[in-house]
Amino acid sequence: MPGMVLFGRRWAIASDDLVFPGFFELVVRVLWWIGILTLYLMHRGKLDCAGGALLSSYLIVLMILLAVVICTVSAIMCVSMRGTICNPGPRKSMSKLLYIRLALFFPEMVWASLGAAWVADGVQCDRTVVNGIIATVVVSWIIIAATVVSIIIVFDPLGGKMAPYSSAGPSHLDSHDSSQLLNGLKTAATSVWETRIKLLCCCIGKDDHTRVAFSSTAELFSTYFSDTDLVPSDIAAGLALLHQQQDNIRNNQEPAQVVCHAPGSSQEADLDAELENCHHYMQFAAAAYGWPLYIYRNPLTGLCRIGGDWLEYSGIITAYCNTIPSTSWAQVIHLPRSPKVLGLQVCRSRTTDYDLVGGDQLNCHFGSILHTTGLQYRDFIHVSFHDKVYELPFLVALDHRKESVVVAVRGTMSLQDVLTDLSAESEVLDVECEVQDRLAHKGISQAARYVYQRLINDGILSQAFSIAPEYRLVIVGHSLGGGAAALLATMLRAAYPQVRCYAFSPPRGLWSKALQEYSQSFIVSLVLGKDVIPRLSVTNLEDLKRRILRVVAHCNKPKYKILLHGLWYELFGGNPNNLPTELDGGDQEVLTQPLLGEQSLLTRWSPAYSFSSDSPLDSSPKYPPLYPPGRIIHLQEEGASGRFGCCSAAHYSAKWSHEAEFSKILIGPKMLTDHMPDILMRALDSVVSDRAACVSCPAQGVSSVDVA
């Protein structure tokens, strides 16, 4: 439903969004009216005092005002329940009711002010009566303040410019002048988004990289959000419908083809080997997050564990570092090989074997890294927690078990990292390889380039291989770190041909199809369940927006019913067939045909304005289709468990998957939780232990089975 137009401007709220706010206000008003009536009837005999007549008049007039407001709110709520998202006709009287409701705030404010003034005059009446009236005055002002806050929240800075298009529709936008106006609107939207992002990220500095990231993120948001006339609740309803539609389609599909592999097949052996490697190197990817993830995974004992490692010499560190400026913690801190002299050499010059860089609480970070990886402090070459836009924390360690030099890049954990994620334009990757099409995600590419320069220019890798020249290079990371690790491995492959990369839950929109195919020989990606990040790209977001528009346009239920049923379905599950939400009884084939209502929710410059549902969306030169790195192992949960992944007894299957299986964003309660590194680690533990326990299965005549 397009946003309502009031006072000549569009607002970020639709006429069918007032059911739940109206119900809440109605309950509060009715309870308040009953309380005032009870107070008046029980204590009106005590109002025969100085100023009592004023207080009596205040209560009577307030009850009359409340009765009028209750009737108005009831009418607003009833009208808001009518129609559907794309059929606002039955709600055409909503604007008049809202004008009446807003007009009633003026006498409420005046009467609340008078009540406060009369009470402040020191009325000599029964204290119970005075306290009751003070309470009514306070409640009046709380409701008024809540209303003002609500108006601020639904205020659309572009509403004055968008109101003409909300009423005129796309057919009005045929002339050259109208096109210029729409381009101006898009520019204004970019400016508004940039202002919002700067306010949100006001504490992260204003260097050149940050300013570029602000502009890139604002351009992305304005491109994605400014070409539709939807309000946030429409998107929520669309996601709820999509989840049920996806489950319904999956339930109605034919059983998947079952492909049996011989127990000793090379494909199965390769999968087992790579799963074991993923299980091992995921510890390094998790360690790169430092102490926050470790304490999150071990809430009861984590702090004691990482604190205990430093207990015997923490007194020396404290005594020594209290004599130097606090800013020295942001400098390079070199750790010696022997903990016995750690306190004496905590700020030595760059002559030690490895170093820690940047940030506070470095000792807590390092303690958690030791526990997560199981390595000794002498096995670490470099640990950096320097964190800026396009500059990611990372660590370098010697892994003697696998005979490898491991570089682990941290994933998203700060606003700076979010800005790196959202710098989603494409740029040519500067790398030595035979691939011609080398487009890559700009933000992640620059972050990988930063780590590359640190590893090469600072001699970190040279130092590591001088200690262990026979080891091979392995680069790992989770989420944003997984994408950066894949790009970093590609950059380093010319110098280190045996490099391997394990990218855990990397973003889909990483690089071109040519680079995706090139990387399959040395990169393995691991994806869990419905994790949204490995399916997330600008192209997939455009596809999701188009699917939301289609399912919303086909829906014949009022929005409040969709949201209520959707909430119940997300929390408790159920049969998706129990709520027919599409026209003509839920025929799924109908959903492949666009409706006029769907077109009316798009503005003229939208790439989805004129589309065939079976054709791919036209790609913007700035946001071409991008793909995930390497070969992909997909872990899928077997059987039913808790809807939010809280069941510790879950079991998983593993299979090699094609990147096309991640070309659509799947909606569900686990689309976010499946991305969490602790959930991924538990899934890896489960699948590796289960497959190891089945080694004896071939002897019993059981074949290994994958679902294709």
Side-chain angles (χ1 to χ4, degrees):
M1 165 63 194
M4 283 191 298
V5 177
L6 295 173
F7 303 107
R9 66 178 303 117
R10 179 191 181 274
W11 297 78
I13 189 171
S15 58
D16 54 357
D17 283 338
L18 301 175
V19 176
F20 300 118
F23 178 77
F24 177 77
E25 183 179 0
L26 188 63
V27 170
V28 172
R29 297 276 185 178
V30 168
L31 292 177
W32 186 18
W33 187 85
I34 293 174
I36 295 174
L37 179 62
T38 302
L39 176 68
Y40 179 76
L41 294 177
M42 293 181 62
H43 299 282
R44 61 181 174 179
K46 300 178 182 179
L47 293 175
D48 296 332
C49 55
L54 290 176
L55 297 183
S56 179
S57 301
Y58 172 77
L59 292 176
I60 293 173
V61 174
L62 183 58
M63 283 190 289
I64 295 173
L65 269 176
L66 280 176
V68 175
V69 170
I70 288 171
C71 293
T72 306
V73 172
S74 300
I76 290 174
M77 192 173 68
C78 291
V79 171
S80 187
M81 291 179 175
R82 299 174 182 171
T84 64
I85 295 177
C86 287
N87 180 25
R91 302 188 296 272
K92 60 184 178 181
S93 60
M94 179 61 73
S95 58
K96 296 177 182 178
L97 289 172
L98 285 176
Y99 285 134
I100 295 172
R101 177 67 191 92
L102 291 173
L104 289 173
F105 274 108
F106 291 101
E108 276 195 287
M109 291 180 64
V110 171
W111 208 242
S113 301
L114 289 175
W118 291 337
V119 171
D121 280 343
V123 178
Q124 303 298 320
C125 288
D126 183 79
R127 197 62 196 168
T128 303
V129 177
V130 174
N131 289 338
I133 294 176
I134 291 175
T136 62
V137 172
V138 171
V139 171
S140 297
W141 283 109
I142 290 175
I143 291 180
I144 292 170
T147 303
V148 173
V149 171
S150 300
I151 292 173
I152 294 174
I153 291 174
V154 301
F155 177 78
D156 185 354
L158 299 173
K161 300 176 188 273
M162 294 184 68
Y165 308 121
S166 296
S167 59
S171 61
H172 178 67
L173 307 176
D174 292 333
S175 67
H176 176 69
D177 292 340
S178 296
S179 298
Q180 288 183 332
L181 286 173
L182 289 176
N183 289 331
L185 179 59
K186 190 172 182 180
T187 302
T190 302
S191 176
V192 168
W193 276 110
E194 186 165 356
T195 301
R196 290 170 175 170
I197 295 166
K198 286 180 178 178
L199 290 174
L200 181 64
C201 306
C202 59
C203 301
I204 66 172
K206 296 181 180 179
D207 56 25
D208 291 340
H209 281 170
T210 304
R211 284 191 287 269
V212 171
F214 284 159
S215 299
S216 298
T217 305
E219 178 106 11
L220 174 65
F221 282 174
S222 64
T223 299
Y224 186 71
F225 290 110
S226 299
D227 62 349
T228 56
D229 198 4
L230 294 174
V231 296
S233 61
D234 295 336
I235 299 174
L239 292 174
L241 291 173
L242 275 181
H243 183 202
Q244 296 173 67
Q245 177 190 323
Q246 288 173 357
D247 288 352
N248 192 23
I249 293 174
R250 187 180 67 249
N251 293 342
N252 293 330
Q253 282 179 340
E254 295 294 329
Q257 179 184 1
V258 178
V259 180
C260 296
H261 300 285
S265 68
S266 59
Q267 185 180 12
E268 279 294 287
D270 182 41
L271 179 59
D272 284 334
E274 294 296 5
L275 279 172
E276 199 281 327
N277 286 334
C278 288
H279 182 254
H280 177 76
Y281 288 116
M282 181 61 201
Q283 310 299 322
F284 291 87
Y289 283 99
W291 66 264
L293 178 60
Y294 185 80
I295 292 179
Y296 175 77
R297 293 178 59 208
N298 304 275
L300 299 179
T301 61
L303 191 59
C304 296
R305 288 179 181 176
I306 63 177
D309 290 344
W310 298 84
L311 192 58
E312 61 178 294
Y313 41 79
S314 61
I316 301 177
I317 294 177
T318 303
Y320 183 84
C321 292
N322 280 342
T323 65
I324 60 177
S326 59
T327 54
S328 297
W329 283 108
Q331 300 173 355
V332 177
I333 299 178
H334 299 281
L335 300 179
R337 289 284 178 175
S338 173
K340 295 180 181 178
V341 292
L342 176 63
L344 301 178
Q345 302 186 32
V346 71
C347 295
R348 283 180 55 184
S349 61
R350 288 182 72 95
T351 58
T352 52
D353 295 283
Y354 61 95
D355 50 4
L356 266 73
V357 180
D360 299 323
Q361 301 144 343
L362 291 175
N363 53 346
C364 292
H365 281 307
F366 198 60
S368 68
I369 291 171
L370 292 175
H371 276 285
T372 302
T373 61
L375 301 182
Q376 301 296 319
Y377 70 93
R378 65 177 66 89
D379 297 325
F380 287 87
I381 305 299
H382 185 92
V383 180
S384 170
F385 282 93
H386 170 81
D387 188 14
K388 294 179 68 177
V389 177
Y390 305 150
E391 298 177 6
L392 297 178
F394 67 97
L395 63 87
V396 181
L398 301 177
D399 178 16
H400 302 297
R401 176 184 165 188
K402 292 287 187 178
E403 295 188 344
S404 58
V405 173
V406 180
V407 178
V409 186
R410 196 189 75 181
T412 303
M413 206 174 159
S414 66
L415 286 175
Q416 292 94 323
D417 300 335
V418 172
L419 289 174
T420 300
D421 285 316
L422 294 175
S423 297
E425 304 101 318
S426 296
E427 66 176 18
V428 177
L429 184 65
D430 183 13
V431 63
E432 297 179 14
C433 69
E434 62 273 16
V435 177
Q436 297 299 318
D437 181 9
R438 301 195 303 274
L439 288 178
H441 184 290
K442 173 185 172 182
I444 304 178
S445 174
Q446 295 202 18
R449 178 63 58 183
Y450 161 77
V451 179
Y452 174 86
Q453 292 173 346
R454 292 291 312 279
L455 293 175
I456 301 301
N457 297 344
D458 293 358
I460 297 172
L461 283 184
S462 299
Q463 181 182 354
F465 283 104
S466 68
I467 299 173
E470 72 283 5
Y471 284 13
R472 71 171 182 174
L473 179 62
V474 176
I475 305 175
V476 303
H478 173 265
S479 188
L480 168 62
L487 288 165
L488 179 60
T490 306
M491 295 174 183
L492 289 168
R493 195 165 188 240
Y496 300 91
Q498 301 302 316
V499 64
R500 297 283 294 174
C501 173
Y502 293 93
F504 302 97
S505 306
R508 175 178 177 84
L510 183 65
W511 53 17
S512 65
K513 182 68 172 178
L515 282 172
Q516 192 269 334
E517 294 173 349
Y518 169 77
S519 66
Q520 294 198 13
S521 61
F522 62 97
I523 297 178
V524 172
S525 294
L526 186 75
V527 178
L528 174 62
K530 291 185 176 181
D531 186 353
V532 66
I533 300 302
R535 297 173 170 86
L536 193 62
S537 66
V538 176
T539 305
N540 281 8
L541 283 173
E542 285 290 343
D543 173 74
L544 176 65
K545 178 170 64 177
R546 182 172 66 173
R547 288 190 286 146
I548 288 175
L549 291 172
R550 184 178 300 119
V551 75
V552 164
H554 282 78
C555 179
N556 61 357
K557 300 292 181 183
K559 188 191 297 181
Y560 78 95
K561 287 187 177 181
I562 298 172
L563 295 175
L564 285 175
H565 282 277
L567 179 62
W568 179 271
Y569 188 79
E570 296 297 333
L571 292 176
F572 306 108
N575 187 345
N577 292 320
N578 290 340
L579 180 64
T581 55
E582 294 83 27
L583 294 175
D584 300 327
D587 183 2
Q588 299 299 333
E589 293 183 0
V590 176
L591 291 179
T592 63
Q593 303 299 324
L595 285 181
L596 179 60
E598 183 179 350
Q599 300 279 355
S600 69
L601 297 174
L602 293 163
T603 51
R604 190 70 171 188
W605 69 73
S606 170
Y609 178 76
S610 296
F611 58 77
S612 168
S613 61
D614 296 326
S615 63
L617 290 172
D618 294 334
S619 301
S620 165
K622 188 174 288 189
Y623 306 110
L626 298 178
Y627 299 85
R631 295 184 297 163
I632 302 174
I633 298 176
H634 191 197
L635 304 184
Q636 292 179 296
E637 188 173 350
E638 295 180 329
S641 68
R643 293 182 66 77
F644 297 94
C646 56
C647 180
S648 59
H651 293 276
Y652 298 85
S653 62
K655 67 170 184 174
W656 291 110
S657 295
H658 192 270
E659 60 83 16
E661 296 184 35
F662 306 94
S663 61
K664 285 186 180 294
I665 295 174
L666 301 181
I667 309 302
K670 292 187 179 181
M671 62 187 294
L672 298 179
T673 58
D674 280 348
H675 186 68
M676 298 298 292
D678 60 312
I679 303 293
L680 181 57
M681 293 174 77
R682 288 207 297 267
L684 271 172
D685 290 341
S686 172
V687 73
V688 170
S689 62
D690 287 348
R691 292 177 75 91
C694 285
V695 171
S696 60
C697 291
Q700 303 168 5
V702 179
S703 298
S704 176
V705 176
D706 276 348
V707 178

